[in-house]
Amino acid sequence: MSAPGYPDAIDPSLVGTYSPLAKAGGGYVWDEVLEYRVWLHPERGAPDEEEGSDYFHAFATYAEAAAFSKKTPGAEEPLALIRQVEHIDEPEPGVYTHVKELRIAEWPVHFLRRPRRTPNTIPDFLSPNAPKNRLDIIRGLAEKE
């Protein structure tokens, strides 16, 4: 782990090769961290490497991304690019569905404090016996019966 609770990229040799296009947030669970991204904004003082457009630098570890973010003008806080093999969709408040399709998303890094998806995470979340606050399952706070 590169920092407490933040895993390194699953395959460091692929860092920087993923599409800049990704979903934003959502899904409640994660399977793998692909890379950490630090987005840079020339209008906020970042070097202009893309003719005025925003761009990112990719890192294999959170520690590297955080250090770069802190020292670089115009940089955002790091984001995690994650792979979700399965995830939970919430098309309207309180309505959840189990989605079994690959999803690549950028997440705020603190979302990685949620447990990694296991075979039981989503079925337990959707169970009629789930706690009133279903997010307790995702947070690892649900009591076992």
Side-chain angles (χ1 to χ4, degrees):
M1 294 252 173
S2 63
Y6 301 136
D8 295 348
I10 192 76
D11 186 346
S13 71
L14 294 177
V15 169
T17 66
Y18 300 101
S19 171
L21 303 177
K23 304 284 185 187
Y28 289 102
V29 295
W30 60 280
D31 288 282
E32 299 167 332
V33 172
L34 302 176
E35 65 189 18
Y36 292 92
R37 291 178 168 180
V38 176
W39 282 91
L40 296 132
H41 303 275
E43 74 278 6
R44 297 183 198 161
D48 188 354
E49 296 178 10
E50 296 292 330
E51 299 179 11
S53 295
D54 299 341
Y55 60 97
F56 67 88
H57 284 236
F59 302 88
T61 69
Y62 172 75
E64 293 171 307
F68 177 82
S69 172
K70 285 186 174 109
K71 73 175 185 177
T72 306
E76 291 184 7
E77 293 290 316
L79 294 171
L81 185 71
I82 59 152
R83 176 182 293 134
Q84 296 168 306
V85 177
E86 300 177 26
H87 65 278
I88 300 165
D89 188 30
E90 188 178 8
E92 57 186 80
V95 176
Y96 303 101
T97 58
H98 186 170
V99 179
K100 295 181 181 182
E101 64 183 38
L102 184 65
R103 183 174 189 266
I104 305 296
E106 285 184 340
W107 269 17
V109 174
H110 69 271
F111 281 12
L112 296 175
R113 292 186 182 134
R114 299 173 179 170
R116 184 175 279 165
R117 185 184 62 81
T118 69
N120 294 325
T121 308
I122 296 173
D124 287 353
F125 184 91
L126 297 173
S127 168
N129 297 324
K132 187 172 184 168
N133 184 355
R134 291 175 187 274
L135 292 178
D136 284 350
I137 292 169
I138 303 300
R139 294 181 188 120
L141 301 174
E143 292 185 24
K144 302 281 183 193
E145 294 184 15

